[in-house]
Amino acid sequence: MRHTPTGGAGSSGTASSDRKPLSIGSVLNVLRHEFPEVTISKIRFLEAEGLVEPQRTPSGYRKFTAADVERLASVLRMQRDHYLPLKVIREHLDALERGEQVQLPAPATPPRDLVEGVSDPDEERPTAARIGRSELLAATEVDETTLAGWESYGLIVAHEDGGYDIEAVAVAKLVADLGRFGLEPRHLRAVKAAAEREAGLVEQVVAPLRRHRNPQTRAHAEATARELATLSVRLHAALLQSALRIRLP
């Protein structure tokens, strides 16, 4: 099936309809204006997952149309802005091609945004979906060996069904960034342990509220947990700044 443009999914004119088919390298150059971290491996992965179906020359080279490039851009935006799994993204794009109206969830809030505070502790936030192992590898652009190493130190944890919470993407990217400074997973065990202790403190406060029969009280427990998490992260950042005597942006 040939894909048509998906302007309703947040397209911003990544490619024009009058362009000649592009090679995968040219597609990479186009996409990198908006997605600097995209790679040829990521494009090939999205093709393998059926998100885009480029034409092939008789010698086997991929040729991407403007519609293909727009579709890739839409996929990358949904991953970046909404943290949607590929299965859901495919369903959204297929619905758009059928002419249906698609309502995307509100942009997901990355964990690091906790440092900036919560404007309204009682505001409802979207529930993050889980992702599969292959999607986690693609999103973080690491290999199986690296991911297995992170898992062995408890930095990334899979559920019994093999899926991962969406926060695993942010954690993996931060672990990778720290690794570029020579910090290995074994060095980060203390950070993991500290986070678990802080989570334990929060749980002590909200556990009685979560066990309450009143649904409103249980909902208040979740809002309280978010606010306590925000304050805890702020305190951690302030203590780290104080210890290092530096100002963080």
Side-chain angles (χ1 to χ4, degrees):
M1 179 183 70
R2 298 302 306 156
H3 299 302
T4 56
T6 55
S11 170
S12 62
T14 304
S16 61
S17 58
D18 58 350
R19 285 183 181 174
K20 295 180 180 179
L22 301 175
S23 67
I24 192 169
S26 298
V27 172
L28 179 66
N29 291 333
V30 171
L31 292 175
R32 274 186 169 169
H33 288 290
E34 184 178 350
F35 311 98
E37 296 182 356
V38 71
T39 63
I40 285 181
S41 296
K42 179 64 176 288
I43 296 173
R44 288 173 176 164
F45 171 77
L46 294 176
E47 179 190 356
E49 291 295 312
L51 271 300
V52 65
E53 299 174 13
Q55 299 173 348
R56 295 273 185 162
T57 66
S59 54
Y61 291 103
R62 297 173 177 85
K63 288 296 179 181
F64 294 81
T65 64
D68 293 328
V69 180
E70 289 291 358
R71 187 175 173 93
L72 283 170
S74 295
V75 172
L76 294 171
R77 288 189 196 102
M78 287 191 222
Q79 285 190 312
R80 179 193 64 194
D81 300 338
H82 303 277
Y83 288 85
L84 296 178
L86 292 182
K87 178 181 179 182
V88 175
I89 292 175
R90 186 185 299 107
E91 291 171 353
H92 280 318
L93 295 181
D94 289 346
L96 285 169
E97 289 185 351
R98 293 192 298 268
E100 300 174 10
Q101 293 294 322
V102 173
Q103 183 64 43
L104 291 174
T109 303
R112 63 175 177 272
D113 283 358
L114 287 172
V115 178
E116 299 175 4
V118 178
S119 58
D120 182 2
D122 294 323
E123 179 185 0
E124 291 186 3
R125 292 173 182 265
T127 301
R130 290 189 188 177
I131 61 174
R133 190 176 186 85
S134 61
E135 291 172 313
L136 179 59
L137 289 168
T140 55
E141 298 183 357
V142 299
D143 55 29
E144 281 279 359
T145 302
T146 300
L147 179 56
W150 294 345
E151 289 178 316
S152 69
Y153 285 98
L155 300 174
I156 302 292
V157 180
H159 290 275
E160 292 183 359
D161 61 3
Y164 300 83
D165 289 330
I166 198 63
E167 289 82 6
V169 176
V171 171
K173 288 184 176 180
L174 289 169
V175 171
D177 287 342
L178 289 168
R180 287 195 282 271
F181 291 89
L183 292 174
E184 300 176 6
R186 59 189 177 88
H187 299 135
L188 303 178
R189 285 183 298 183
V191 179
K192 169 75 170 178
E196 291 176 345
R197 287 194 296 270
E198 291 176 23
L201 291 174
V202 172
E203 186 60 33
Q204 287 180 24
V205 175
V206 301
L209 299 176
R210 284 177 170 161
R211 291 194 294 266
H212 205 279
R213 292 183 178 180
N214 189 322
Q216 292 183 341
T217 302
R218 293 198 298 271
H220 179 64
E222 300 308 312
T224 300
R226 288 197 298 268
E227 187 170 10
L228 288 172
T230 298
L231 293 172
S232 179
V233 172
R234 281 176 154 178
L235 175 60
H236 178 84
L239 291 173
L240 181 59
Q241 287 180 247
S242 177
L244 296 174
R245 298 293 189 273
I246 61 173
R247 285 187 175 274
L248 298 178

